[in-house]
Amino acid sequence: TARPQPCDVAGLKEQLAHLNVMRDAARADAVGVELSVTDVSELKSASAPPVMVHEVLEAACLLLGATPQHGSHNLDWQTTKSYLNTGLPGSLRDLDLASVPNSRIEKVRRCELPPCEEVARVSKAAASLCGLVHQMLSEHDTLQLIQTSQAKLEELERWLEAELASTPPLCVLIGDPEFSDCLLYTSPSPRDS
């Protein structure tokens, strides 16, 4: 395996900082999505909603952990509609995506959530919810990247720590006993070349 370089640590730390900013922005966008009482009433009043409206609500319910009944792959409209009575938009905004299993995210992705612009032509209320679900999926993807980058950074830091522990330091004594054990520079040994 190739030897990691100290700049790899700095690069990973920079990437993590950028990903955390992206995650925070996605969360802020999700918090800003509002469904009015009228919007929720519109969605609940539908006895047989358009397919796109049902798909959006189904995706939102699956994200919250709803499970299809009787071996079906899809949620029926009554189950989906019942989530509207329990404060669906607020529940989504409060959802801790780091604790959502990847299997649940995959179920949501299999819903093939339509683009929000198309949903808006059918229902403004469903379009707002569609935007929220898309943002939640984007935030989940960002969280996955953060976790992967953190794991790589931790592995790299452990490796560097082990390397430093096994390499004798080249110290420069500058006359002050406080600094006599400092590591100013470690040169690679000729055998590493």
Side-chain angles (χ1 to χ4, degrees):
T1 60
R3 272 180 93 142
Q5 300 298 312
C7 61
D8 293 342
V9 173
L12 278 170
K13 285 182 178 180
E14 185 178 317
Q15 180 183 11
L16 275 169
H18 178 70
L19 289 170
N20 280 314
V21 167
M22 287 175 52
R23 182 201 58 212
D24 293 345
R27 176 53 63 178
D29 287 345
V31 169
V33 174
E34 291 295 327
L35 262 77
S36 68
V37 172
T38 306
D39 291 339
V40 174
S41 295
E42 172 196 322
L43 294 171
K44 287 196 306 191
S45 68
S47 58
V51 172
M52 277 195 275
V53 171
H54 185 211
E55 288 172 342
V56 168
L57 285 166
E58 180 179 23
C61 293
L62 288 170
L63 194 54
L64 290 171
T67 55
Q69 301 295 322
H70 312 294
S72 171
H73 294 294
N74 300 331
L75 294 173
D76 63 66
W77 177 239
Q78 291 308 315
T79 301
T80 305
K81 202 160 81 166
S82 71
Y83 273 77
L84 288 169
N85 295 327
T86 61
L88 177 73
S91 298
L92 277 176
R93 280 191 294 274
D94 295 338
L95 185 63
D96 175 17
L97 286 170
S99 67
V100 175
N102 287 333
S103 60
R104 192 184 311 169
I105 296 296
E106 290 310 310
K107 284 181 189 175
V108 174
R109 291 192 195 283
R110 282 194 298 270
C111 286
E112 297 180 19
L113 198 61
C116 298
E117 300 79 30
E118 290 180 26
V119 176
R121 290 187 208 124
V122 178
S123 167
K124 178 186 152 279
S128 294
L129 191 57
C130 180
L132 181 58
V133 173
H134 277 293
Q135 287 169 342
M136 301 294 283
L137 291 173
S138 177
E139 183 181 347
H140 183 270
D141 292 345
T142 302
L143 284 170
Q144 293 294 306
L145 288 171
I146 288 171
Q147 290 171 348
T148 300
S149 294
Q150 282 175 330
K152 285 179 184 177
L153 179 61
E154 289 167 6
E155 179 184 343
L156 183 58
E157 286 176 336
R158 281 191 304 275
W159 182 87
L160 285 171
E161 195 174 288
E163 281 294 306
L164 287 174
S166 67
T167 305
L170 173 63
C171 292
V172 176
L173 182 60
I174 58 175
D176 186 339
E178 183 178 333
F179 294 103
S180 64
D181 293 329
C182 68
L183 173 66
L184 296 179
Y185 175 75
T186 302
S187 61
S189 71
R191 68 176 186 266
D192 290 339
S193 299

Short mmCIF file of all heavy atoms in Angstrom, two decimals, residues 1-69:
data_model
loop_
_atom_site.label_atom_id
_atom_site.label_comp_id
_atom_site.label_asym_id
_atom_site.label_seq_id
_atom_site.Cartn_x
_atom_site.Cartn_y
_atom_site.Cartn_z
N THR A 1 0.84 -1.20 0.00
CA THR A 1 0.00 0.00 0.00
C THR A 1 0.87 1.25 0.00
O THR A 1 1.96 1.26 0.54
CB THR A 1 -0.92 0.03 1.25
OG1 THR A 1 -0.11 0.02 2.41
CG2 THR A 1 -1.89 -1.13 1.23
N ALA A 2 0.34 2.29 -0.59
CA ALA A 2 1.08 3.54 -0.65
C ALA A 2 1.09 4.21 0.72
O ALA A 2 0.13 4.10 1.47
CB ALA A 2 0.43 4.47 -1.67
N ARG A 3 2.20 4.84 0.99
CA ARG A 3 2.32 5.56 2.26
C ARG A 3 1.51 6.83 2.20
O ARG A 3 1.68 7.64 1.29
CB ARG A 3 3.76 5.95 2.50
CG ARG A 3 4.57 4.92 3.21
CD ARG A 3 5.95 5.44 3.36
NE ARG A 3 6.08 6.12 4.65
CZ ARG A 3 7.15 6.05 5.38
NH1 ARG A 3 8.19 5.37 4.95
NH2 ARG A 3 7.21 6.66 6.52
N PRO A 4 0.61 7.05 3.15
CA PRO A 4 -0.12 8.31 3.17
C PRO A 4 0.83 9.46 3.49
O PRO A 4 1.84 9.27 4.15
CB PRO A 4 -1.14 8.14 4.29
CG PRO A 4 -1.03 6.74 4.76
CD PRO A 4 0.20 6.15 4.19
N GLN A 5 0.49 10.60 3.02
CA GLN A 5 1.29 11.79 3.28
C GLN A 5 0.55 12.67 4.29
O GLN A 5 -0.67 12.66 4.34
CB GLN A 5 1.50 12.56 1.98
CG GLN A 5 2.23 11.77 0.92
CD GLN A 5 3.62 11.37 1.36
OE1 GLN A 5 4.39 12.18 1.85
NE2 GLN A 5 3.94 10.09 1.21
N PRO A 6 1.29 13.47 5.06
CA PRO A 6 0.63 14.37 6.00
C PRO A 6 -0.40 15.28 5.33
O PRO A 6 -1.40 15.63 5.93
CB PRO A 6 1.78 15.18 6.59
CG PRO A 6 2.96 14.26 6.49
CD PRO A 6 2.74 13.49 5.21
N CYS A 7 -0.16 15.63 4.06
CA CYS A 7 -1.13 16.49 3.38
C CYS A 7 -2.47 15.77 3.20
O CYS A 7 -3.51 16.40 3.05
CB CYS A 7 -0.58 16.99 2.05
SG CYS A 7 -0.20 15.68 0.89
N ASP A 8 -2.46 14.42 3.20
CA ASP A 8 -3.71 13.67 3.12
C ASP A 8 -4.60 13.98 4.31
O ASP A 8 -5.81 14.07 4.19
CB ASP A 8 -3.45 12.16 3.07
CG ASP A 8 -2.76 11.71 1.79
OD1 ASP A 8 -2.78 12.48 0.80
OD2 ASP A 8 -2.21 10.60 1.79
N VAL A 9 -4.00 14.14 5.48
CA VAL A 9 -4.75 14.48 6.69
C VAL A 9 -5.40 15.85 6.52
O VAL A 9 -6.59 16.02 6.77
CB VAL A 9 -3.85 14.46 7.95
CG1 VAL A 9 -4.59 14.98 9.16
CG2 VAL A 9 -3.34 13.05 8.21
N ALA A 10 -4.62 16.81 6.07
CA ALA A 10 -5.15 18.17 5.88
C ALA A 10 -6.26 18.16 4.83
O ALA A 10 -7.29 18.81 5.01
CB ALA A 10 -4.03 19.12 5.47
N GLY A 11 -6.07 17.41 3.76
CA GLY A 11 -7.09 17.33 2.71
C GLY A 11 -8.38 16.71 3.22
O GLY A 11 -9.47 17.19 2.92
N LEU A 12 -8.25 15.65 4.02
CA LEU A 12 -9.45 15.02 4.58
C LEU A 12 -10.15 15.94 5.57
O LEU A 12 -11.38 16.01 5.59
CB LEU A 12 -9.09 13.70 5.26
CG LEU A 12 -8.97 12.50 4.33
CD1 LEU A 12 -8.39 11.31 5.08
CD2 LEU A 12 -10.31 12.14 3.73
N LYS A 13 -9.38 16.65 6.36
CA LYS A 13 -9.99 17.59 7.32
C LYS A 13 -10.73 18.70 6.57
O LYS A 13 -11.82 19.10 6.96
CB LYS A 13 -8.94 18.16 8.26
CG LYS A 13 -8.50 17.17 9.31
CD LYS A 13 -7.48 17.75 10.28
CE LYS A 13 -7.12 16.72 11.34
NZ LYS A 13 -6.14 17.23 12.30
N GLU A 14 -10.14 19.17 5.48
CA GLU A 14 -10.79 20.20 4.67
C GLU A 14 -12.07 19.66 4.04
O GLU A 14 -13.11 20.32 4.01
CB GLU A 14 -9.82 20.68 3.59
CG GLU A 14 -10.34 21.84 2.77
CD GLU A 14 -9.32 22.32 1.76
OE1 GLU A 14 -8.12 22.42 2.11
OE2 GLU A 14 -9.72 22.58 0.61
N GLN A 15 -12.01 18.42 3.52
CA GLN A 15 -13.18 17.80 2.93
C GLN A 15 -14.29 17.63 3.98
O GLN A 15 -15.45 17.90 3.70
CB GLN A 15 -12.82 16.43 2.34
CG GLN A 15 -13.98 15.72 1.71
CD GLN A 15 -13.59 14.33 1.19
OE1 GLN A 15 -12.52 13.82 1.47
NE2 GLN A 15 -14.48 13.73 0.43
N LEU A 16 -13.93 17.21 5.18
CA LEU A 16 -14.92 17.06 6.25
C LEU A 16 -15.57 18.39 6.59
O LEU A 16 -16.79 18.46 6.80
CB LEU A 16 -14.28 16.46 7.50
CG LEU A 16 -14.19 14.95 7.51
CD1 LEU A 16 -13.30 14.48 8.66
CD2 LEU A 16 -15.56 14.33 7.63
N ALA A 17 -14.78 19.44 6.67
CA ALA A 17 -15.35 20.77 6.97
C ALA A 17 -16.35 21.17 5.89
O ALA A 17 -17.44 21.67 6.19
CB ALA A 17 -14.23 21.80 7.09
N HIS A 18 -15.98 20.94 4.63
CA HIS A 18 -16.88 21.27 3.51
C HIS A 18 -18.17 20.43 3.57
O HIS A 18 -19.26 20.96 3.38
CB HIS A 18 -16.15 21.05 2.18
CG HIS A 18 -16.99 21.31 0.98
ND1 HIS A 18 -17.38 22.58 0.62
CD2 HIS A 18 -17.55 20.47 0.07
CE1 HIS A 18 -18.14 22.50 -0.47
NE2 HIS A 18 -18.25 21.23 -0.82
N LEU A 19 -18.04 19.14 3.85
CA LEU A 19 -19.21 18.28 3.94
C LEU A 19 -20.12 18.68 5.10
O LEU A 19 -21.35 18.63 4.98
CB LEU A 19 -18.78 16.82 4.08
CG LEU A 19 -18.18 16.19 2.83
CD1 LEU A 19 -17.57 14.83 3.16
CD2 LEU A 19 -19.22 16.05 1.73
N ASN A 20 -19.55 19.08 6.21
CA ASN A 20 -20.36 19.54 7.34
C ASN A 20 -21.13 20.80 6.99
O ASN A 20 -22.29 20.96 7.39
CB ASN A 20 -19.49 19.74 8.59
CG ASN A 20 -19.19 18.44 9.28
OD1 ASN A 20 -20.08 17.61 9.47
ND2 ASN A 20 -17.94 18.23 9.65
N VAL A 21 -20.52 21.69 6.22
CA VAL A 21 -21.22 22.90 5.76
C VAL A 21 -22.39 22.50 4.85
O VAL A 21 -23.50 23.03 4.97
CB VAL A 21 -20.25 23.86 5.04
CG1 VAL A 21 -21.00 24.95 4.30
CG2 VAL A 21 -19.27 24.46 6.03
N MET A 22 -22.14 21.54 3.95
CA MET A 22 -23.20 21.07 3.05
C MET A 22 -24.35 20.45 3.85
O MET A 22 -25.52 20.70 3.57
CB MET A 22 -22.65 20.04 2.06
CG MET A 22 -21.78 20.62 0.98
SD MET A 22 -21.04 19.35 -0.09
CE MET A 22 -22.43 18.38 -0.58
N ARG A 23 -24.01 19.64 4.87
CA ARG A 23 -25.03 19.00 5.69
C ARG A 23 -25.87 20.06 6.42
O ARG A 23 -27.09 19.99 6.44
CB ARG A 23 -24.40 18.06 6.70
CG ARG A 23 -25.44 17.34 7.56
CD ARG A 23 -24.91 16.81 8.85
NE ARG A 23 -24.35 17.90 9.62
CZ ARG A 23 -23.33 17.78 10.44
NH1 ARG A 23 -22.71 16.64 10.59
NH2 ARG A 23 -22.88 18.82 11.11
N ASP A 24 -25.20 21.05 6.98
CA ASP A 24 -25.91 22.11 7.71
C ASP A 24 -26.82 22.90 6.77
O ASP A 24 -27.93 23.27 7.15
CB ASP A 24 -24.92 23.04 8.40
CG ASP A 24 -24.17 22.34 9.53
OD1 ASP A 24 -24.61 21.24 9.98
OD2 ASP A 24 -23.13 22.88 9.97
N ALA A 25 -26.36 23.14 5.55
CA ALA A 25 -27.18 23.86 4.57
C ALA A 25 -28.40 23.04 4.18
O ALA A 25 -29.52 23.57 4.08
CB ALA A 25 -26.36 24.21 3.33
N ALA A 26 -28.20 21.74 3.98
CA ALA A 26 -29.34 20.87 3.64
C ALA A 26 -30.35 20.84 4.78
O ALA A 26 -31.55 20.88 4.56
CB ALA A 26 -28.85 19.45 3.33
N ARG A 27 -29.86 20.77 6.02
CA ARG A 27 -30.76 20.75 7.18
C ARG A 27 -31.53 22.07 7.28
O ARG A 27 -32.72 22.09 7.55
CB ARG A 27 -29.95 20.49 8.46
CG ARG A 27 -30.73 20.54 9.74
CD ARG A 27 -31.95 19.68 9.80
NE ARG A 27 -31.67 18.27 9.68
CZ ARG A 27 -32.60 17.34 9.75
NH1 ARG A 27 -33.85 17.64 9.94
NH2 ARG A 27 -32.29 16.07 9.59
N ALA A 28 -30.84 23.20 7.03
CA ALA A 28 -31.50 24.51 7.08
C ALA A 28 -32.59 24.60 6.01
O ALA A 28 -33.68 25.13 6.27
CB ALA A 28 -30.48 25.63 6.91
N ASP A 29 -32.30 24.07 4.82
CA ASP A 29 -33.31 24.07 3.76
C ASP A 29 -34.50 23.22 4.16
O ASP A 29 -35.65 23.59 3.92
CB ASP A 29 -32.73 23.53 2.45
CG ASP A 29 -31.77 24.51 1.78
OD1 ASP A 29 -31.78 25.69 2.16
OD2 ASP A 29 -31.01 24.07 0.89
N ALA A 30 -34.25 22.07 4.76
CA ALA A 30 -35.33 21.18 5.17
C ALA A 30 -36.20 21.83 6.24
O ALA A 30 -37.42 21.72 6.22
CB ALA A 30 -34.78 19.85 5.68
N VAL A 31 -35.58 22.53 7.17
CA VAL A 31 -36.34 23.20 8.23
C VAL A 31 -37.21 24.30 7.64
O VAL A 31 -38.30 24.57 8.13
CB VAL A 31 -35.37 23.75 9.30
CG1 VAL A 31 -36.08 24.67 10.27
CG2 VAL A 31 -34.73 22.59 10.06
N GLY A 32 -36.75 24.92 6.55
CA GLY A 32 -37.50 26.01 5.94
C GLY A 32 -38.72 25.58 5.15
O GLY A 32 -39.56 26.41 4.80
N VAL A 33 -38.88 24.30 4.86
CA VAL A 33 -40.04 23.83 4.10
C VAL A 33 -41.25 23.78 5.02
O VAL A 33 -41.22 23.15 6.07
CB VAL A 33 -39.77 22.43 3.49
CG1 VAL A 33 -41.02 21.88 2.84
CG2 VAL A 33 -38.64 22.50 2.49
N GLU A 34 -42.28 24.46 4.63
CA GLU A 34 -43.49 24.51 5.46
C GLU A 34 -44.69 23.99 4.67
O GLU A 34 -44.84 24.29 3.50
CB GLU A 34 -43.78 25.95 5.90
CG GLU A 34 -42.79 26.49 6.90
CD GLU A 34 -42.80 25.76 8.23
OE1 GLU A 34 -43.88 25.30 8.66
OE2 GLU A 34 -41.73 25.65 8.83
N LEU A 35 -45.51 23.23 5.32
CA LEU A 35 -46.80 22.85 4.79
C LEU A 35 -47.84 23.50 5.69
O LEU A 35 -47.84 23.28 6.90
CB LEU A 35 -46.99 21.32 4.82
CG LEU A 35 -46.71 20.62 3.49
CD1 LEU A 35 -45.22 20.51 3.30
CD2 LEU A 35 -47.36 19.28 3.46
N SER A 36 -48.71 24.27 5.10
CA SER A 36 -49.74 24.95 5.89
C SER A 36 -50.82 23.95 6.27
O SER A 36 -50.90 22.84 5.75
CB SER A 36 -50.34 26.10 5.08
OG SER A 36 -51.09 25.57 3.99
N VAL A 37 -51.67 24.38 7.17
CA VAL A 37 -52.82 23.56 7.57
C VAL A 37 -53.68 23.28 6.34
O VAL A 37 -54.19 22.16 6.17
CB VAL A 37 -53.63 24.28 8.68
CG1 VAL A 37 -54.91 23.54 8.97
CG2 VAL A 37 -52.78 24.44 9.92
N THR A 38 -53.82 24.27 5.47
CA THR A 38 -54.59 24.10 4.24
C THR A 38 -53.96 23.03 3.35
O THR A 38 -54.68 22.20 2.76
CB THR A 38 -54.68 25.44 3.47
OG1 THR A 38 -55.18 26.44 4.36
CG2 THR A 38 -55.56 25.33 2.26
N ASP A 39 -52.63 23.05 3.24
CA ASP A 39 -51.93 22.05 2.43
C ASP A 39 -52.19 20.64 2.96
O ASP A 39 -52.50 19.72 2.20
CB ASP A 39 -50.42 22.31 2.42
CG ASP A 39 -50.03 23.56 1.67
OD1 ASP A 39 -50.82 24.03 0.82
OD2 ASP A 39 -48.93 24.07 1.93
N VAL A 40 -52.05 20.48 4.27
CA VAL A 40 -52.26 19.16 4.87
C VAL A 40 -53.72 18.74 4.69
O VAL A 40 -54.00 17.58 4.36
CB VAL A 40 -51.86 19.16 6.37
CG1 VAL A 40 -52.22 17.85 7.03
CG2 VAL A 40 -50.35 19.42 6.49
N SER A 41 -54.66 19.67 4.86
CA SER A 41 -56.08 19.35 4.66
C SER A 41 -56.35 18.91 3.23
O SER A 41 -57.12 17.98 3.00
CB SER A 41 -56.96 20.56 5.01
OG SER A 41 -56.86 20.86 6.37
N GLU A 42 -55.70 19.61 2.28
CA GLU A 42 -55.86 19.24 0.87
C GLU A 42 -55.41 17.80 0.64
O GLU A 42 -56.09 17.02 -0.02
CB GLU A 42 -55.05 20.19 -0.01
CG GLU A 42 -54.99 19.78 -1.48
CD GLU A 42 -53.89 20.49 -2.25
OE1 GLU A 42 -53.64 21.68 -2.00
OE2 GLU A 42 -53.28 19.83 -3.12
N LEU A 43 -54.27 17.45 1.19
CA LEU A 43 -53.74 16.10 1.00
C LEU A 43 -54.61 15.06 1.69
O LEU A 43 -54.87 13.99 1.13
CB LEU A 43 -52.30 16.03 1.52
CG LEU A 43 -51.27 16.85 0.75
CD1 LEU A 43 -49.95 16.87 1.48
CD2 LEU A 43 -51.10 16.33 -0.66
N LYS A 44 -55.09 15.36 2.89
CA LYS A 44 -55.91 14.39 3.63
C LYS A 44 -57.28 14.19 3.00
O LYS A 44 -57.86 13.12 3.12
CB LYS A 44 -56.09 14.84 5.09
CG LYS A 44 -54.84 14.67 5.91
CD LYS A 44 -55.04 14.72 7.39
CE LYS A 44 -55.72 15.92 7.94
NZ LYS A 44 -55.65 16.01 9.41
N SER A 45 -57.79 15.22 2.33
CA SER A 45 -59.15 15.13 1.80
C SER A 45 -59.25 14.27 0.55
O SER A 45 -60.35 13.85 0.17
CB SER A 45 -59.70 16.53 1.51
OG SER A 45 -58.99 17.09 0.42
N ALA A 46 -58.16 13.98 -0.09
CA ALA A 46 -58.19 13.20 -1.33
C ALA A 46 -58.57 11.75 -1.02
O ALA A 46 -57.96 11.10 -0.18
CB ALA A 46 -56.84 13.25 -2.02
N SER A 47 -59.60 11.27 -1.71
CA SER A 47 -59.98 9.86 -1.52
C SER A 47 -59.16 8.95 -2.42
O SER A 47 -58.87 7.82 -2.07
CB SER A 47 -61.48 9.67 -1.78
OG SER A 47 -61.80 10.09 -3.08
N ALA A 48 -58.81 9.46 -3.58
CA ALA A 48 -57.93 8.73 -4.51
C ALA A 48 -57.03 9.77 -5.15
O ALA A 48 -57.36 10.32 -6.20
CB ALA A 48 -58.75 7.98 -5.55
N PRO A 49 -55.89 10.05 -4.54
CA PRO A 49 -55.03 11.12 -5.04
C PRO A 49 -54.36 10.75 -6.35
O PRO A 49 -54.24 9.57 -6.68
CB PRO A 49 -53.99 11.27 -3.93
CG PRO A 49 -53.89 9.89 -3.39
CD PRO A 49 -55.26 9.32 -3.43
N PRO A 50 -53.89 11.76 -7.08
CA PRO A 50 -53.10 11.47 -8.28
C PRO A 50 -51.87 10.62 -7.90
O PRO A 50 -51.38 10.69 -6.77
CB PRO A 50 -52.66 12.86 -8.77
CG PRO A 50 -53.67 13.79 -8.18
CD PRO A 50 -54.09 13.19 -6.88
N VAL A 51 -51.40 9.83 -8.82
CA VAL A 51 -50.30 8.90 -8.57
C VAL A 51 -49.09 9.62 -7.98
O VAL A 51 -48.48 9.15 -7.01
CB VAL A 51 -49.92 8.14 -9.86
CG1 VAL A 51 -48.66 7.33 -9.67
CG2 VAL A 51 -51.06 7.26 -10.31
N MET A 52 -48.73 10.77 -8.54
CA MET A 52 -47.54 11.48 -8.06
C MET A 52 -47.70 11.92 -6.61
O MET A 52 -46.75 11.88 -5.84
CB MET A 52 -47.23 12.69 -8.93
CG MET A 52 -46.44 12.33 -10.17
SD MET A 52 -45.73 13.77 -10.96
CE MET A 52 -47.09 14.29 -11.97
N VAL A 53 -48.89 12.34 -6.23
CA VAL A 53 -49.13 12.77 -4.84
C VAL A 53 -48.95 11.57 -3.91
O VAL A 53 -48.30 11.67 -2.87
CB VAL A 53 -50.54 13.39 -4.70
CG1 VAL A 53 -50.88 13.63 -3.24
CG2 VAL A 53 -50.64 14.68 -5.51
N HIS A 54 -49.52 10.43 -4.30
CA HIS A 54 -49.38 9.23 -3.48
C HIS A 54 -47.91 8.82 -3.38
O HIS A 54 -47.43 8.44 -2.31
CB HIS A 54 -50.24 8.10 -4.03
CG HIS A 54 -50.24 6.88 -3.16
ND1 HIS A 54 -50.38 5.62 -3.66
CD2 HIS A 54 -50.10 6.73 -1.81
CE1 HIS A 54 -50.33 4.74 -2.66
NE2 HIS A 54 -50.16 5.40 -1.54
N GLU A 55 -47.17 8.90 -4.49
CA GLU A 55 -45.74 8.53 -4.47
C GLU A 55 -44.94 9.41 -3.51
O GLU A 55 -44.09 8.92 -2.77
CB GLU A 55 -45.15 8.63 -5.88
CG GLU A 55 -45.62 7.54 -6.82
CD GLU A 55 -45.19 7.76 -8.25
OE1 GLU A 55 -44.81 8.89 -8.62
OE2 GLU A 55 -45.22 6.78 -9.01
N VAL A 56 -45.24 10.70 -3.50
CA VAL A 56 -44.53 11.63 -2.61
C VAL A 56 -44.84 11.29 -1.15
O VAL A 56 -43.94 11.18 -0.32
CB VAL A 56 -44.90 13.09 -2.93
CG1 VAL A 56 -44.42 14.03 -1.84
CG2 VAL A 56 -44.33 13.50 -4.28
N LEU A 57 -46.11 11.12 -0.85
CA LEU A 57 -46.49 10.80 0.53
C LEU A 57 -45.96 9.44 0.95
O LEU A 57 -45.53 9.27 2.09
CB LEU A 57 -48.01 10.86 0.68
CG LEU A 57 -48.57 12.29 0.72
CD1 LEU A 57 -50.06 12.29 0.53
CD2 LEU A 57 -48.19 12.96 2.02
N GLU A 58 -45.97 8.49 0.05
CA GLU A 58 -45.42 7.17 0.36
C GLU A 58 -43.93 7.26 0.69
O GLU A 58 -43.46 6.68 1.68
CB GLU A 58 -45.65 6.22 -0.81
CG GLU A 58 -45.11 4.83 -0.55
CD GLU A 58 -45.35 3.88 -1.72
OE1 GLU A 58 -45.52 4.34 -2.86
OE2 GLU A 58 -45.35 2.67 -1.46
N ALA A 59 -43.19 8.03 -0.11
CA ALA A 59 -41.75 8.18 0.14
C ALA A 59 -41.51 8.82 1.52
O ALA A 59 -40.64 8.38 2.27
CB ALA A 59 -41.11 9.03 -0.96
N ALA A 60 -42.30 9.83 1.84
CA ALA A 60 -42.15 10.50 3.14
C ALA A 60 -42.45 9.53 4.29
O ALA A 60 -41.72 9.49 5.28
CB ALA A 60 -43.08 11.71 3.21
N CYS A 61 -43.50 8.73 4.14
CA CYS A 61 -43.87 7.77 5.19
C CYS A 61 -42.82 6.67 5.33
O CYS A 61 -42.48 6.27 6.45
CB CYS A 61 -45.23 7.17 4.89
SG CYS A 61 -46.58 8.36 4.99
N LEU A 62 -42.29 6.20 4.23
CA LEU A 62 -41.24 5.17 4.28
C LEU A 62 -39.99 5.71 4.97
O LEU A 62 -39.34 5.00 5.74
CB LEU A 62 -40.89 4.68 2.87
CG LEU A 62 -41.93 3.80 2.20
CD1 LEU A 62 -41.57 3.58 0.72
CD2 LEU A 62 -42.09 2.47 2.92
N LEU A 63 -39.69 6.97 4.72
CA LEU A 63 -38.54 7.59 5.37
C LEU A 63 -38.70 7.59 6.89
O LEU A 63 -37.75 7.41 7.63
CB LEU A 63 -38.36 9.02 4.85
CG LEU A 63 -37.06 9.74 5.14
CD1 LEU A 63 -35.86 8.94 4.67
CD2 LEU A 63 -37.05 11.10 4.46
N LEU A 64 -39.94 7.73 7.33
CA LEU A 64 -40.23 7.72 8.77
C LEU A 64 -40.36 6.30 9.33
O LEU A 64 -40.52 6.14 10.54
CB LEU A 64 -41.52 8.49 9.05
CG LEU A 64 -41.41 10.00 8.85
CD1 LEU A 64 -42.78 10.65 8.95
CD2 LEU A 64 -40.44 10.60 9.85
N GLY A 65 -40.30 5.29 8.47
CA GLY A 65 -40.31 3.92 8.96
C GLY A 65 -41.60 3.16 8.74
O GLY A 65 -41.77 2.06 9.27
N ALA A 66 -42.53 3.72 7.97
CA ALA A 66 -43.77 3.01 7.68
C ALA A 66 -43.45 1.73 6.91
O ALA A 66 -42.51 1.68 6.12
CB ALA A 66 -44.71 3.89 6.85
N THR A 67 -44.22 0.70 7.16
CA THR A 67 -44.02 -0.57 6.45
C THR A 67 -45.29 -0.95 5.71
O THR A 67 -46.39 -0.83 6.25
CB THR A 67 -43.62 -1.70 7.41
OG1 THR A 67 -44.62 -1.79 8.44
CG2 THR A 67 -42.28 -1.44 8.04
N PRO A 68 -45.14 -1.43 4.47
CA PRO A 68 -46.31 -1.87 3.70
C PRO A 68 -47.00 -3.05 4.39
O PRO A 68 -46.37 -3.86 5.07
CB PRO A 68 -45.72 -2.29 2.36
CG PRO A 68 -44.41 -1.58 2.28
CD PRO A 68 -43.92 -1.49 3.70
N GLN A 69 -48.28 -3.14 4.20
CA GLN A 69 -49.08 -4.21 4.80
C GLN A 69 -49.15 -5.44 3.88
O GLN A 69 -49.07 -5.32 2.66
CB GLN A 69 -50.51 -3.71 5.06
CG GLN A 69 -50.58 -2.52 5.99
CD GLN A 69 -50.09 -2.83 7.39
OE1 GLN A 69 -50.33 -3.91 7.90
NE2 GLN A 69 -49.36 -1.89 7.98
#
